[in-house]
Amino acid sequence: MCACWPRSAIAPRVHEQVALLLLLSDDADPSIARTARDTIDRLPVMAIGRFIGRKDVPEPMRTFFVARGIAPIEGAYLEDEPLVDPDQEAVETLEETAADPAVLAGLPVIQRMKLAMKGTREQRGQLIRDPNKLVAVAVLSSPKITEAEIEAYARQANLSEDVLRIIATSRAWVKNYNVVAGLTRNPKTPRALAMGFLQRLNEKDLKQLSTDRNVSEPVRLAARKYLGQGKR
């Protein structure tokens, strides 16, 4: 299997990037919410107008920007490219500077966000665990992110619940069985989302899950129930 998904399927582009910003704009941490709102305020007005003029944009997202005085521009073509896209030359300089994990961890938030989106695989692997949610979530907006990385993140119990929730609610990512299986076994995945994935698991994975003490008891019991019903 190819290590990369099709570009339109794996990397969150305009829809997902804007959705992540809107989610973080209401974050309980005032500094995260403020930074997300500031980023939203800096988005190019014309590009947003073309974006919200598309028929496939969710209505709440369109309403949010209309309330901010941005009118939809219908019928305009807009490539599904990220609206927040750091300068690549600057990122390459940062990549060299932050080759050491200790140096990377000490960079300012905005520089860590740039590397999360355009840095190396190793840097994404470190930044997905960053204590600042803006940085961790920025990793999921990287156009370089691969199928193997998402599968690995789905299994990691040291990620924030917010990161796992975003992965679990991405229709593109949960088409991958290994992502679904990893999320279901991950004790940090929100319980309701993990429970919803049980019906998609094969018998082997259900059996393992039914005795896995690392997951919550409701998830184990539900797995046993599916097995008892002979669902698979």
Side-chain angles (χ1 to χ4, degrees):
M1 178 183 296
C2 175
C4 299
W5 290 352
R7 185 177 180 183
S8 61
I10 176 63
R13 310 307 288 165
V14 177
H15 275 80
E16 290 86 351
Q17 197 171 68
V18 174
L20 296 179
L21 286 171
L22 295 186
L23 173 68
L24 292 173
S25 69
D26 286 329
D27 195 88
D29 186 322
S31 64
I32 290 176
R34 182 171 58 254
T35 302
R37 288 194 294 269
D38 289 344
T39 302
I40 290 170
D41 289 338
R42 291 196 301 270
L43 295 177
V45 174
M46 288 298 293
I48 286 292
R50 292 194 297 270
F51 167 60
I52 63 176
R54 289 167 39 162
K55 294 181 179 179
D56 57 347
V57 170
E59 191 57 39
M61 196 177 288
R62 181 180 293 109
T63 301
F64 175 87
F65 286 105
V66 168
R68 296 170 77 89
I70 301 177
I73 303 173
E74 298 183 2
Y77 175 75
L78 176 67
E79 288 190 6
D80 203 19
E81 292 295 326
L83 290 174
V84 183
D85 198 14
D87 178 71
Q88 186 57 39
E89 184 176 349
V91 169
E92 289 172 358
T93 301
L94 277 175
E95 282 183 11
E96 298 176 3
T97 304
D100 185 334
V103 173
L104 176 59
L107 290 175
V109 169
I110 190 63
Q111 292 187 344
R112 300 205 305 277
M113 287 180 68
K114 289 180 179 179
L115 287 173
M117 294 174 65
K118 287 293 186 73
T120 65
R121 179 181 180 132
E122 291 72 23
Q123 288 167 337
R124 289 193 297 278
Q126 177 175 339
L127 294 173
I128 194 71
R129 304 188 303 273
D130 197 280
N132 187 301
K133 276 187 277 189
L134 280 170
V135 176
V137 167
V139 172
L140 301 180
S141 292
S142 172
K144 294 182 176 183
I145 206 164
T146 65
E147 178 177 12
E149 286 175 272
I150 293 297
E151 289 181 7
Y153 298 158
R155 297 191 296 267
Q156 292 180 21
N158 59 350
L159 300 189
S160 77
E161 185 176 301
D162 293 289
V163 167
L164 293 172
R165 179 182 291 106
I166 291 168
I167 295 174
T169 53
S170 167
R171 287 181 294 178
W173 292 339
V174 298
K175 289 179 181 178
N176 180 299
Y177 180 84
N178 291 333
V179 171
V180 169
L183 287 168
T184 311
R185 289 194 294 266
N186 193 325
K188 291 286 287 296
T189 300
R191 185 182 302 172
L193 293 171
M195 298 277 280
F197 291 140
L198 287 173
Q199 60 185 326
R200 293 182 52 187
L201 297 185
N202 59 36
E203 183 175 357
K204 177 183 176 182
D205 286 329
L206 280 172
K207 285 182 178 178
Q208 292 178 347
L209 198 63
S210 68
T211 58
D212 189 344
R213 293 290 178 181
N214 291 320
V215 301
S216 67
E217 185 176 5
V219 173
R220 285 200 309 274
L221 293 176
R224 292 173 192 169
K225 181 178 179 181
Y226 275 111
L227 288 170
Q229 292 174 342
K231 185 172 180 62
R232 299 294 174 187

